[in-house]
Amino acid sequence: MIGGPRLWRRVSPGKTWSGAIVGTFAGAAAGAIVGFIVMRGGVRVAPLFWLGVAAAIVGQIGDLAESR
């Protein structure tokens, strides 16, 4: 929906840079929100935010590797 330049046109023509960035932010937000809700504020949110970022990036790399 957002569009823009392709991430890796030859391997996965539907993926864009903007989609990868939005997906990374969504993963980070999901990690922080889940951590806050599940732990009821008893855990620091920042580590789960960064875990969400890492998981989103690794997931995108895995998807591109599988497509290749």
Side-chain angles (χ1 to χ4, degrees):
M1 281 181 13
I2 296 172
R6 303 292 180 213
L7 185 62
W8 194 354
R9 186 179 310 238
R10 248 186 31 227
V11 172
S12 187
K15 290 199 183 323
T16 62
W17 279 102
S18 58
I21 292 167
V22 169
T24 301
F25 281 125
I33 290 169
V34 168
F36 184 77
I37 291 172
V38 171
M39 299 303 213
R40 300 176 196 252
V43 68
R44 290 182 11 200
V45 175
L48 294 172
F49 174 87
W50 291 112
L51 180 61
V53 169
I57 290 172
V58 168
Q60 291 178 28
I61 290 171
D63 186 45
L64 287 171
E66 186 176 323
S67 294
R68 184 160 192 241

